[in-house]
Amino acid sequence: LKDHLFKEEEINYLRTCTQESYWLQNYHLILYSPDLMSDLEESIEKYLIPQKIKRALCTKVRMQNQRITYLEFYKENLSQNKAIIRDIDMVKAEILEYLELKIQESEEMFELEEDE
């Protein structure tokens, strides 16, 4: 979706998968579909809020609060263009940077112990 590798018919098929089990796919479908982003609250309602929350919407205050929590969480993250699935090269670079810092920290600790 991010790289626009899907054909229109494939994206249209993805749009039919509204079950809760497709939440990860649907999150990114919204994120990378300008028309879904333009109507963000409706898209979140359709694709990301669990059915049990939608069904109980009018009956229980607790469920209404959960719906609002879901809506706010997804709205904030989608509005900030936060992808859940990250670029593998970026993750690899961050891991290597972390390991380099850990090695540097270990070396500094070893040097401090030698000085004592």
Side-chain angles (χ1 to χ4, degrees):
L1 289 167
K2 179 180 117 183
D3 296 328
H4 308 288
L5 300 176
F6 289 92
K7 296 176 186 168
E8 186 177 345
E9 63 202 34
E10 294 169 322
I11 292 174
N12 288 335
Y13 173 75
L14 294 178
R15 290 173 183 245
T16 67
C17 304
T18 59
Q19 300 90 335
E20 188 175 349
S21 58
Y22 292 99
W23 76 269
L24 182 65
Q25 167 190 297
N26 291 337
Y27 179 93
H28 291 89
L29 179 65
I30 294 169
L31 184 63
Y32 299 117
S33 300
D35 64 314
L36 295 177
M37 283 294 288
S38 70
D39 193 5
L40 192 52
E41 286 190 22
E42 183 63 33
S43 297
I44 293 169
E45 242 352 290
K46 180 176 181 179
Y47 292 104
L48 298 174
I49 295 181
Q51 284 297 323
K52 68 179 181 180
I53 302 296
K54 291 181 199 179
R55 280 194 298 269
L57 186 60
C58 298
T59 58
K60 298 181 182 174
V61 173
R62 185 175 145 263
M63 293 293 190
Q64 290 175 339
N65 290 338
Q66 283 182 318
R67 181 191 156 277
I68 291 168
T69 301
Y70 274 104
L71 186 63
E72 289 174 355
F73 172 80
Y74 285 123
K75 190 174 180 179
E76 178 180 334
N77 287 287
L78 287 162
S79 295
Q80 294 177 15
N81 293 316
K82 289 185 179 179
I84 296 172
I85 298 176
R86 299 177 55 202
D87 180 18
I88 292 173
D89 290 332
M90 187 168 71
V91 172
K92 181 179 177 183
E94 289 176 0
I95 290 171
L96 291 173
E97 180 182 344
Y98 169 78
L99 291 174
E100 287 175 18
L101 289 172
K102 288 301 283 180
I103 290 169
Q104 182 182 357
E105 181 182 90
S106 294
E107 288 172 348
E108 288 172 1
M109 291 299 290
F110 181 74
E111 289 172 3
L112 284 174
E113 288 176 2
E114 281 187 337
D115 289 343
E116 291 179 356

